[in-house]
């Protein structure tokens, strides 16, 4: 479980996050949605510690990340996996080496144990045949899957995904969504996904938080979202054809 | 001035809680090989020709019969060791390796590979940059030694093929009034230049914001800034160490 409490962050005097609190539960796919430029990525990067918040705190199962010692932070980081918007695979390493990378940093497994783990997770994401390819030789959807394998190879407890299906065709996007959802349940992860894709929200969003210009405006489940009150959220939903059809507008 | 402050903070970040040293050993050797492959040919080629041209021009300038012919060898040696070998190698190095460092690290920045390292709990500044700086400080002095040797040899070839002077005069010239300190001086220079080029280039790449266009700009900026810094350091070192 991850709790964020009253998180605030500004850049050069411009407030990007204002007093945001939320709880992301274990075994659930939690989603942060909102229009472009509302601070979703900044929030995600603050949670994983790439930015430090000006105000508030982020608790990983009770451990306050930003007030932990460097050593404690490193332990938490070993439990975090992140899938980046552009996959962010290391382009000088092969697919297998990319997945192996976190193991080299954090674990003291033997070389053959690492091999087994890498093979296991590559198989899990359906890429056992691409192990020796370079990231530039595989498709965007495959890169995302490598990114997922790299994110969970450490037996991660927490999985973060920044727009996991941006730039993918609808079918591949659906597949990636399903993969993330399955993995979340299979390994009982606390998963947080940033997205502005209503399809994924309606498919896999178990807890949804809606952001608007640095504020959290609404939270709830996918069953509640279509009847949600706030006008900003209504406008956001209304821009989506699927939702309009769904609601018969 | 603010950039200078950021640069110093960047260097500081590199040394604060870095990974265990063993992590760097393999990366260091990789970088050394990479740098060697990248700049060996061009540095060698440039040095050979610069040495030859110095010899030719000296011969052309000696009009007075009072000046002994061995001056050609002496001047080629002095100019190659003191100035051309370290400085020219450094400038070629900035153009080939510096731009590559800035471009490579800049690309890692905009494609979030640096963020990925940080999320894994790695100090990305030291992980990516430290091996490159150490490799630069190791390889550039070696390149400079090679450059000096090739330059002097280039002058020798020019003497033969251009019929500038008897070869014995050239050989005598390159040994005449040789000050041994010039060699460590050249090596110190190359050592400092190696640090300057790699750290400035890495700094430029590390702080890229935006897209591919900015990466391109960072890599040309890296070369420009490195060259300016090389020449400034060249002046300061000559002023302090040769007085
Ligand atoms: N490192 C930074 N320095 C300064 N400002 C930043 C930085 N990162 C983000 N911002 C600003 O914060 C605001 C929110 O950006 P953010 O990337 O979080 O948006 P987003 O909701 O993820 O949008 P998108 O859906 O387009 O990815 C933007 O106005 C952006 O300019
Ligand atoms: Mg974003």
């Amino acid at each position: 479980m991850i709790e964020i409490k009253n998180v605030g962050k500004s850049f050069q005097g411009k407030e990007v996050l204002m007093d945001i609190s939320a709880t992301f539960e274990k075994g659930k796919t939690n989603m942060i949605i909102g229009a472009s430029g509302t601070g979703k990525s900044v929030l995600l990067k603050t949670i994983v510690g790439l930015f430090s918040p000006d105000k508030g705190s982020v608790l990983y199962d009770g451990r306050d990340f930003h007030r932990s010692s460097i050593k404690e932070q490193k332990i938490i980081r070993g439990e975090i996996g992140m899938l980046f918007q552009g996959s962010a695979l290391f382009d000088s390493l092969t697919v297998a080496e990319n997945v192996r990378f976190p193991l080299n940093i954090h674990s003291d497994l033997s070389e053959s144990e690492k091999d087994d783990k890498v093979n296991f997770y590559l198989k899990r994401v359906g890429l056992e045949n691409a192990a020796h390819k370079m990231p530039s030789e595989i498709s965007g959807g495959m890169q995302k899957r490598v990114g997922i394998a790299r994110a969970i190879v450490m037996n991660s407890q927490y999985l973060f995904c920044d727009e996991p299906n941006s730039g993918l065709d609808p079918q591949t996007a659906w597949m990636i969504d399903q993969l993330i959802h399955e993995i979340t349940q299979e390994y009982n992860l606390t998963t947080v996904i940033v997205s502005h894709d209503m399809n994924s929200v309606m498919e896999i969003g178990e807890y949804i938080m809606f952001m608007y210009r640095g504020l959290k405006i609404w939270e709830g489940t996918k069953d509640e979202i279509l009847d949600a009150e706030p006008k900003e959220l209504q406008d956001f939903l209304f821009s989506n054809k699927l939702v309009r059809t769904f609601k018969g507008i | 001035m603010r950039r200078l402050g950021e640069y110093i903070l960047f260097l500081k970040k590199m040394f604060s809680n870095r990974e265990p040293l063993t992590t760097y050993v393999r990366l260091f050797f990789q970088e050394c090989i990479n740098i060697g492959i990248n700049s060996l040919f061009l540095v060698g080629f440039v040095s050979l020709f610069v040495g030859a041209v110095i010899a030719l021009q000296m011969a052309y300038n000696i009009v007075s019969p009072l000046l002994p012919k061995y001056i050609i060898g002496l001047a080629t040696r002095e100019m190659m060791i003191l100035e051309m070998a370290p400085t020219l190698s450094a400038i070629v190095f900035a153009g080939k390796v510096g731009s590559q460092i800035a471009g490579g690290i800049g690309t890692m920045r905009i494609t979030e590979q640096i963020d990925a390292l940080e999320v894994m709990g790695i100090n990305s500044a030291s992980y990516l940059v430290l091996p490159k700086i150490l490799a630069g400080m190791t390889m550039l002095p070696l390149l400079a030694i090679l450059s000096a040797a090739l330059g002097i040899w280039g002058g020798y070839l020019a003497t033969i093929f251009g019929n500038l002077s008897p070869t014995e005069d050239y050989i005598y010239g390159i040994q005449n009034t040789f000050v041994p300190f010039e060699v460590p001086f050249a090596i110190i220079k190359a050592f400092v230049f190696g640090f300057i080029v790699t750290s400035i280039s890495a700094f430029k790449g590390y702080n890229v914001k935006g897209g591919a266009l900015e990466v391109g700009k960072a890599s040309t900026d890296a070369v420009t800034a490195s060259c300016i810094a090389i020449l400034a350091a060249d002046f300061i070192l000559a002023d302090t160490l040769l007085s």
Side-chain angles (χ1 to χ4, degrees):
Chain A
M1 185 173 73
I2 300 171
E3 295 159 275
I4 50 180
K5 292 186 173 162
N6 311 98
V7 167
K9 174 82 189 163
S10 13
F11 290 110
Q12 289 105 34
K14 184 171 159 265
E15 274 194 281
V16 177
L17 299 177
M18 284 171 261
D19 201 35
I20 295 189
S21 301
T23 302
F24 303 120
E25 277 170 28
K26 211 176 175 63
K28 278 194 180 173
T29 39
N30 303 277
M31 301 192 89
I32 303 173
I33 61 169
S36 230
T38 47
K40 305 183 297 292
S41 296
V42 173
L43 178 60
L44 200 66
K45 286 183 178 173
T46 307
I47 297 174
V48 299
L50 289 172
F51 293 138
S52 48
D54 304 336
K55 282 180 244 136
S57 50
V58 177
L59 305 178
Y60 283 86
D61 289 309
R63 295 168 293 177
D64 186 337
F65 183 85
H66 295 278
R67 279 170 202 79
S68 297
S69 68
I70 298 213
K71 228 174 128 188
E72 289 163 338
Q73 282 188 352
K74 197 150 183 166
I75 294 173
I76 300 178
R77 288 213 144 113
E79 300 168 4
I80 292 179
M82 182 153 178
L83 174 63
F84 286 86
Q85 203 158 344
S87 300
L89 301 180
F90 302 122
D91 43 26
S92 56
L93 303 180
T94 64
V95 163
E97 285 165 348
N98 262 286
V99 177
R100 194 191 182 94
F101 194 91
L103 296 173
N104 290 340
I105 303 293
H106 288 288
S107 82
D108 3 280
L109 298 176
S110 73
E111 295 303 307
S112 67
E113 285 171 320
K114 287 181 193 170
D115 285 339
D116 292 345
K117 249 183 136 80
V118 169
N119 291 334
F120 176 81
Y121 283 102
L122 276 179
K123 206 168 198 151
R124 178 63 191 84
V125 299
L127 282 179
E128 59 271 36
N129 295 325
H132 301 294
K133 294 218 163 87
M134 298 306 282
S136 57
E137 297 168 346
I138 59 178
S139 71
M142 287 161 90
Q143 290 180 2
K144 296 272 175 172
R145 285 191 271 160
V146 179
I148 293 172
R150 185 177 70 179
I152 58 175
V153 71
M154 281 299 300
N155 302 335
S156 310
Q157 304 286 311
Y158 315 98
L159 176 63
F160 300 92
C161 310
D162 195 352
E163 315 224 351
N165 47 26
S166 69
L168 300 178
D169 64 86
Q171 195 186 1
T172 314
W174 183 84
M175 227 178 61
I176 296 288
D177 281 344
Q178 292 305 321
L179 182 60
I180 294 172
H181 190 58
E182 285 164 22
I183 281 174
T184 300
Q185 294 182 335
E186 218 168 294
Y187 302 103
N188 198 21
L189 307 177
T190 308
T191 298
V192 182
I193 304 173
V194 162
S195 180
H196 43 213
D197 181 357
M198 279 315 289
N199 296 332
S200 353
V201 175
M202 300 315 284
E203 283 282 348
I204 60 169
E206 290 172 287
Y207 163 88
I208 300 156
M209 116 177 205
F210 174 71
M211 283 180 69
Y212 182 78
R213 298 206 182 147
L215 287 166
K216 181 177 101 175
I217 302 264
W218 183 86
E219 64 184 340
T221 65
K222 65 182 177 198
D223 303 320
E224 299 162 357
I225 196 166
L226 292 179
D227 304 314
E229 288 288 318
K231 181 168 180 316
E232 294 85 356
L233 179 52
Q234 284 300 326
D235 290 347
F236 181 78
L237 296 173
F238 189 72
S239 60
N240 188 284
K241 178 83 169 41
L242 192 79
V243 175
R244 282 206 303 271
T245 328
F246 214 73
K247 292 188 79 178
I249 307 175
Chain B
M1 235 25 219
R2 225 186 89 225
R3 300 244 70 187
L4 190 69
E6 284 171 14
Y7 173 68
I8 290 165
L9 285 179
F10 171 73
L11 293 180
K12 212 178 124 223
K13 178 174 182 219
M14 223 164 56
F15 290 100
S16 51
N17 67 85
R18 47 167 178 68
E19 314 310 309
L21 274 178
T22 47
T23 321
Y24 295 98
V25 175
R26 200 178 48 89
L27 293 169
F28 168 76
F29 283 110
Q30 265 175 8
E31 291 299 335
C32 284
I33 292 167
N34 184 23
I35 288 174
I37 291 172
N38 246 304
S39 41
L40 196 62
F41 175 74
L42 195 58
V43 167
F45 186 78
V46 169
S47 307
L48 197 64
F49 274 81
V50 167
V53 170
I54 291 174
L56 280 171
Q57 294 199 342
M58 281 314 293
Y60 171 75
N61 280 316
I62 304 174
V63 277
S64 159
L66 290 178
L67 276 175
K69 286 279 187 200
Y70 74 77
I71 289 285
I72 297 173
L74 192 139
T76 309
R77 180 200 77 210
E78 287 292 288
M79 290 186 56
M80 279 315 299
I81 296 181
L82 275 182
E83 183 59 22
M84 290 303 172
T87 312
L88 214 59
S89 312
I91 286 178
V92 171
F93 184 77
K96 290 225 59 161
V97 178
S99 60
Q100 195 204 30
I101 290 178
I105 294 184
T107 305
M108 292 191 73
R109 165 63 75 196
I110 63 163
T111 56
E112 297 181 307
Q113 292 176 51
I114 291 184
D115 286 342
L117 286 173
E118 292 280 335
V119 168
M120 291 174 196
I122 296 169
N123 178 346
S124 59
S126 61
Y127 184 83
L128 292 174
V129 181
L130 209 53
K132 291 188 166 55
I133 293 186
L134 295 178
M137 290 167 76
T138 312
M139 293 306 278
L140 196 54
L142 295 179
L143 283 170
I145 293 171
L146 178 86
S147 160
L150 282 175
I152 292 169
W153 189 51
Y156 179 72
L157 292 180
T159 317
I160 296 173
F161 292 111
N163 243 334
L164 307 181
S165 73
T167 51
E168 304 83 68
D169 279 3
Y170 187 83
I171 304 283
Y172 176 75
I174 59 177
Q175 293 166 339
N176 190 267
T177 62
F178 177 60
V179 184
F181 175 68
E182 287 177 4
V183 174
F185 173 68
I187 291 174
I188 292 170
K189 269 170 63 161
F191 188 72
V192 172
F193 295 163
F195 174 80
I196 287 176
V197 174
T198 45
S199 63
I200 290 182
S201 306
F203 172 70
K204 291 280 177 191
Y206 198 79
N207 287 298
V208 168
K209 287 197 178 73
L213 205 65
E214 282 79 9
V215 174
K217 191 168 167 300
S219 98
T220 49
D221 278 359
V223 179
T224 319
S226 298
C227 289
I228 294 172
I230 287 167
L231 296 174
D234 192 18
F235 182 83
I236 295 168
L237 285 173
D239 193 45
T240 48
L241 293 181
L242 290 186
S243 53

